[in-house]
Amino acid sequence: MAKTYAWTGLAALAALTVAAATPAAAHHSTAMFEWGNETPMAGTVEAVEWTQPHIWIWFQVPNKTGGLDRWGIEGMSPSYLSRVGWTKRTLNPGDKITMGIYKLKDGRNGGFIASAKFSDGHVVRHVPGRPAAAAAAAAQ
Amino acid sequence: MKRALFLAALLAAATPAVVYAAAQVMPRAAVDVREKSKQWPSPQGESWDAIKKLPDFGGVWSAPLPGQDGPRAPPNPVPSYTPAAAAKLKAFNDSKARGENTQTDKANCTPFAFPSSMGIYPIEFLFTPGKVTVAIETDSQMRRIYTDGRPLTDDPDPTFQGTSVGHWEGDTLVTETVGLVPAPQMEIVAGVGHGDKLRIREKIRLVAKDQLQVEWTYEDPDVLTKPWTTTRIYLRHRDWDIQEYNCAQNNHDAADDKGRPSMRLDK
């Protein structure tokens, strides 16, 4: 996974902003997310929708009153993901994971998946580029 | 009862005949085009043998985007805008500062128009006699470049991929495209749109092993004071396939009429 993740000669998606003098291209902006600021959240995968233009993950997260909140989590597209090693079975219903989420700025229970840490400790990156902490460490 | 059945059968039998008869009358234009096509000289790619002599554009091609690693063309020059276009761009950028137009109608699944369509996800070139077809993964679109010698249509209907003709100059596919849908579906640069007289000249050629360079030169007297050329490098992936992409399948990210983002969270 690390190898495929490091590979970046791909065509992608949503998540990239486009320079002013570049012809317009991007499915939607990332302005509604805390983009780049990853919040770890522990929970259980309820369902995975392997769909265009983005995959969707429904994520059950324990709340402060002892119940569960359903979070709607957007991901990249199958077009992108299938070429960097993700499949429709990378995440499965029932998986207990800690998801790194770029949360919605408006405070609702939603966001964009940046990474998934499984119970055996292995981490799968989701967005292209390195996590901010890793990039900072690599720069030192 | 028998009579009713007979009439029903007669009607069923006659319906295709009526449709067929109507079709003989309706598509006069199509017949004319077929007749006219015999006059086109078909100078290049007119046979499967001729195609074998063309450069190898096989495989699936993908361009690294801004922020991604990979060989890329030098940065594009800054376009030289007409005063009207410059004012439009300024107003557009000002509106962004107010939180508007942070996303386009693409967020509502309007298909990407040429040439943006050639950039988000991969493309594939298909050579057949007299035509180069570009299979575009983004929005599962097709672009047809006629290389059979026909002239560009004078007044084409506007379409997302435009109307294109092309020819080979050595190993370079040189094309010309007109007839693109108006803004906001197609914009030379976000915020400036384009005029009726937009014409895009394109050069496609292999520049290194498994590297394809595409150059687009925009000519539009309503928006640009001089032609503006952008360049993009694509990398070949022989082991990729073009995938299906239907944006409306599960889109949670609509833009409102001011281009502000939203996110639908209902399951």
Side-chain angles (χ1 to χ4, degrees), chain A residues 10 24 74 77 79 82-83, chain B residues 68 116 121 137 241 243 250 253:
Chain A
L10 44 89
E74 186 170 278
S77 68
S79 290
S82 63
R83 292 174 175 129
Chain B
Q68 295 180 316
S116 293
Y121 293 119
E137 183 161 307
D241 294 323
Q243 302 184 19
N250 190 20
D253 309 291

Side-chain angles (χ1 to χ4, degrees), chain B residues 117-180:
Chain B
S117 55
M118 304 251 299
I120 311 297
Y121 293 119
I123 56 174
E124 179 180 41
F125 294 89
L126 312 173
F127 292 177
T128 50
K131 184 164 64 181
V132 174
T133 304
V134 188
I136 298 171
E137 183 161 307
T138 306
D139 299 305
S140 291
Q141 300 188 87
M142 282 285 192
R143 180 176 165 225
R144 293 164 183 86
I145 303 164
Y146 295 100
T147 56
D148 56 5
R150 73 180 67 181
L152 262 186
T153 318
D154 290 338
D155 189 19
D157 294 338
T159 57
F160 282 83
Q161 301 313 312
T163 296
S164 303
V165 296
H167 63 276
W168 291 90
E169 292 180 8
D171 284 345
T172 302
L173 176 60
V174 179
T175 85
E176 210 175 331
T177 300
V178 293
L180 287 153

Side-chain angles (χ1 to χ4, degrees), chain A residues 42-120:
Chain A
T44 304
V45 175
E46 178 189 355
V48 177
E49 296 170 1
W50 191 258
T51 52
Q52 305 279 17
H54 295 272
I55 69 161
W56 266 80
I57 301 158
W58 299 101
F59 195 45
Q60 293 284 349
V61 180
N63 60 29
K64 286 173 184 164
T65 58
L68 291 170
D69 289 333
R70 171 184 285 152
W71 282 63
I73 307 293
E74 186 170 278
M76 306 296 261
S77 68
S79 290
Y80 165 79
L81 291 170
S82 63
R83 292 174 175 129
V84 295
W86 273 69
T87 77
K88 61 181 182 291
R89 302 189 204 289
T90 300
L91 288 180
N92 294 286
D95 284 350
K96 294 187 187 311
I97 62 170
T98 299
M99 198 187 288
I101 298 173
Y102 299 156
K103 291 164 76 173
L104 277 177
K105 287 176 181 168
D106 65 13
R108 290 182 300 152
N109 292 342
F112 201 101
I113 176 173
S115 65
K117 184 177 182 182
F118 291 80
S119 48
D120 66 0

Side-chain angles (χ1 to χ4, degrees), chain B residues 192-203:
Chain B
V192 304
H194 72 88
D196 291 345
K197 293 182 273 298
L198 170 65
R199 182 173 297 260
I200 301 175
R201 299 181 196 279
E202 179 184 46
K203 289 181 182 170

Side-chain angles (χ1 to χ4, degrees), chain A residues 19-23, chain B residues 77-90 93 187-193 220-228:
Chain A
T22 302
Chain B
V78 177
S80 178
Y81 296 116
T82 60
K88 261 180 101 172
L89 185 61
K90 184 179 180 307
N93 288 335
E187 299 195 280
I188 297 175
V189 169
V192 304
D220 187 340
D222 294 319
V223 171
L224 302 167
T225 58
K226 58 181 183 186
W228 179 50

